[in-house]
Amino acid sequence: GAVVSQHPSRVICKSGTSVKIECRSLDFQATTMFWYRQFPKQSLMLMATSNEGSKATYEQGVEKDKFLINHASLTLSTLTVTSAHPEDSSFYICSAPLAGGDPLEQFFGPGTRLTVL
Amino acid sequence: AQKVTQAQTEISVVEKEDVTLDCVYETRDTTYYLFWYKQPPSGELVFLIRRNSFDEQNEISGRYSWNFQKSTSSFNFTITASQVVDSAVYFCALSDMYSSASKIIFGSGTRLSIRP
């Protein structure tokens, strides 16, 4: 089956630093990837749609300058949390459908838990 | 506007009991898709089912069953003879766009605890 990985699985950083989270489709190509944020005991909130070779589309209320997304290849999207603060501590999850496949059959990564001290 | 409401924040039942998780949705589109996902403590989302708006047939998969009723905009999920391994957070979700960038909107989730 299609597998999506995320790296790192956990990261702890100091306030003010930047953190990069990778989302990789291991055995398929993905022209689109989605980034979600999940606060403790809350739902998944879509942050942005990452598009290979073009700019990401951000949801309302998500700061594009703070959450930089780069989709440089058909198998990799990165989310960089710039100047992270404690309120950015969250569980970040990516998902991706197969390129050219059913766009609603999305494969989710295992998530990255970010803790900002 | 899309919206998914899971009114039950937490449910706790004893093993072998049946349990139903409620989901009510809102959408203006006539074509849409409904989902259920399971999120165990490990955090990774597990896909359970997808239903399109034109298929109101109920579905059964082992101990799991789903009741889709357009008249009440509900897509409820029932676990029969629950087991401890069913303990997880369950999300109902909705998508009403069928394109190369379909968005899935999640409900707030129901935390299900099965006590031995």
Side-chain angles (χ1 to χ4, degrees):
Chain A
V3 178
V4 174
S5 71
Q6 286 184 237
H7 178 80
S9 57
R10 289 177 177 270
V11 56
I12 300 173
C13 69
K14 292 182 179 180
S15 185
T17 60
S18 293
V19 176
K20 180 185 285 188
I21 301 171
E22 294 184 347
C23 176
R24 290 183 186 273
S25 54
L26 296 185
D27 49 3
F28 67 98
Q29 294 183 332
T31 53
T32 303
M33 292 183 173
F34 299 91
W35 286 97
Y36 295 86
R37 179 169 51 184
Q38 185 181 26
F39 291 111
K41 297 192 176 183
Q42 294 190 27
S43 185
L44 281 76
M45 299 301 296
L46 182 64
M47 298 175 65
T49 302
S50 171
N51 304 297
E52 188 267 334
S54 64
K55 291 183 179 180
T57 305
Y58 290 82
E59 295 300 302
Q60 192 172 8
V62 177
E63 300 174 59
K64 58 183 67 178
D65 293 332
K66 180 168 184 62
F67 299 99
L68 301 179
I69 291 174
N70 184 274
H71 196 147
S73 76
L74 288 172
T75 58
L76 173 64
S77 174
T78 59
L79 168 67
T80 301
V81 183
T82 62
S83 187
H85 290 286
E87 57 265 31
D88 298 323
S89 298
S90 188
F91 193 51
Y92 292 86
I93 302 172
C94 70
S95 73
L98 275 70
D102 183 346
L104 293 178
E105 186 178 14
Q106 295 184 19
F107 301 93
F108 285 82
T112 295
R113 192 165 300 283
L114 169 64
T115 302
V116 184
L117 303 177
Chain B
Q2 304 162 298
K3 186 177 180 181
V4 178
T5 301
Q6 294 180 256
Q8 303 152 308
T9 306
E10 295 190 32
I11 299 176
S12 180
V13 301
V14 176
E15 198 172 19
K16 297 184 183 177
E17 286 186 13
D18 299 347
V19 58
T20 295
L21 309 182
D22 298 333
C23 173
V24 175
Y25 62 91
E26 293 178 32
T27 177
R28 294 180 182 174
D29 287 357
T30 56
T31 302
Y32 53 89
Y33 299 82
L34 297 165
F35 307 78
W36 275 96
Y37 290 89
K38 174 182 180 181
Q39 187 178 40
S42 63
E44 187 161 358
L45 278 177
V46 177
F47 167 82
L48 296 178
I49 189 172
R50 181 177 95 188
R51 229 29 183 170
N52 73 57
S53 53
F54 299 109
D55 183 0
E56 282 193 78
Q57 277 193 330
N58 292 331
E59 178 147 344
I60 298 175
S61 176
R63 296 184 296 107
Y64 295 171
S65 62
W66 291 269
N67 185 312
F68 177 24
Q69 293 197 345
K70 290 177 73 171
S71 60
T72 55
S73 296
S74 65
F75 187 44
N76 297 338
F77 172 34
T78 297
I79 301 175
T80 304
S82 60
Q83 299 176 2
V84 174
V85 293
D86 296 326
S87 297
V89 180
Y90 290 85
F91 291 100
C92 181
L94 164 72
S95 178
D96 59 13
M97 287 171 52
Y98 196 84
S99 70
S100 60
S102 297
K103 300 176 185 177
I104 298 178
I105 306 301
F106 288 81
S108 54
T110 296
R111 184 175 299 274
L112 177 64
S113 298
I114 310 298
R115 309 189 303 274

